[in-house]
Amino acid sequence: NAGVTQTPKFQVLKTGQSMTLQCAQDMNHNSMYWYRQDPGMGLRLIYYSASEGTTDKGEVPNGYNVSRLNKREFSLRLESAAPSQTSVYFCASHAGPSTEAFFGQGTRLTVV
Amino acid sequence: RKEVEQDPGPFNVPEGATVAFNCTYSNSASQSFFWYRQDCRKEPKLLMSVYSSGNEDGRFTAQLNRASQYISLLIRDSKLSDSATYLCVGNSGSARQLTFGSGTQLTVLP
């Protein structure tokens, strides 16, 4: 059982480059999330999708876009990467608000 | 003010000690709360859910106080393997999305 799969695991970008982080879950979960984690800041919500076909901004959405392609997949796009977007990105999913959330292994992104 | 706040620590305790973490939340509409554990450079994983009646899982006890809007985690008889960052989580907002505290770092010393 794969759970939540994120790709890539590591990435180095130059300022201004674009990229898409991929996330897929095989647990038939309704809700999916993208978080970023910086030292001492905990996990901050970038975007979430409560169900297929819906997406909403979280705490720190600027500089990012998302697509809920289908129930399984939720991608995060950086259109023009900036050094401030250097972080560890986690995708998560859960069946509903009162249930356990499962996380991918994270993407370590460095923007130079 | 962050919706979920917790003492970042670090907490350095000897093996066998009892340690308690507290977390406060600002959104009284939050309905579900959790404690997650995160090991260094790994993804967070659920430690336990938090219920109003309190719940216990082995050496771990979680409590929720809705009147004062805080939750707590008590770890008894600390083990070296308990060293990690503990994240307090609540759900809030229109979709009751998960909101994380900044985490409390625990190091259990031999």
Side-chain angles (χ1 to χ4, degrees):
Chain A
N1 191 351
V4 180
T5 303
Q6 278 184 245
T7 55
K9 287 188 170 51
F10 301 92
Q11 183 72 49
V12 179
L13 289 180
K14 294 182 179 178
T15 297
Q17 286 185 317
S18 62
M19 79 162 294
T20 299
L21 281 63
Q22 307 286 354
C23 176
Q25 51 91 9
D26 61 3
M27 296 171 282
N28 201 37
H29 286 168
N30 291 317
S31 301
M32 297 186 74
Y33 301 81
W34 277 106
Y35 293 91
R36 61 176 289 174
Q37 186 172 37
D38 303 294
M41 299 291 286
L43 281 87
R44 292 184 292 168
L45 183 62
I46 306 171
Y47 271 93
Y48 64 96
S49 171
S51 61
E52 184 180 356
T54 69
T55 61
D56 285 286
K57 295 179 180 179
E59 183 184 355
V60 288
N62 291 345
Y64 305 95
N65 284 300
V66 290
S67 294
R68 183 75 183 265
L69 304 169
N70 47 55
K71 194 169 187 179
R72 289 187 66 246
E73 299 171 287
F74 189 37
S75 62
L76 178 72
R77 183 161 177 82
L78 287 70
E79 291 291 351
S80 179
S84 61
Q85 294 178 305
T86 293
S87 189
V88 180
Y89 292 85
F90 287 103
C91 176
S93 73
H94 66 171
S98 302
T99 62
E100 178 181 0
F102 293 85
F103 284 78
Q105 291 183 306
T107 296
R108 284 167 174 74
L109 175 67
T110 302
V111 183
V112 297
Chain B
R1 181 186 173 189
K2 284 178 70 69
E3 282 201 27
V4 178
E5 295 202 57
Q6 54 183 132
D7 183 345
F11 284 64
N12 298 317
V13 302
E15 247 184 313
T18 295
V19 60
F21 306 137
N22 288 325
C23 169
T24 59
Y25 62 94
S26 60
N27 189 337
S28 59
S30 297
Q31 296 184 0
S32 301
F33 300 91
F34 311 88
W35 283 101
Y36 278 72
R37 170 189 168 132
Q38 185 175 25
D39 294 300
C40 187
R41 300 181 71 79
K42 298 283 191 179
E43 72 274 22
K45 292 184 179 178
L46 180 69
L47 177 66
M48 57 197 307
S49 301
V50 187
Y51 305 118
S52 296
S53 55
N55 48 307
E56 187 173 312
D57 182 3
R59 298 181 293 108
F60 298 85
T61 301
Q63 296 274 358
L64 166 62
N65 184 319
R66 289 196 182 274
S68 301
Q69 294 186 203
Y70 79 83
I71 70 174
S72 63
L73 177 68
L74 183 75
I75 305 175
R76 290 180 299 277
D77 188 23
S78 301
K79 311 291 186 191
L80 296 176
S81 57
D82 294 334
S83 297
T85 296
Y86 291 83
L87 299 158
C88 169
V89 186
N91 66 2
S92 61
S94 58
R96 291 197 280 151
Q97 58 271 24
L98 295 177
T99 301
F100 283 75
S102 55
T104 299
Q105 186 180 345
L106 171 67
T107 301
V108 180
L109 304 167

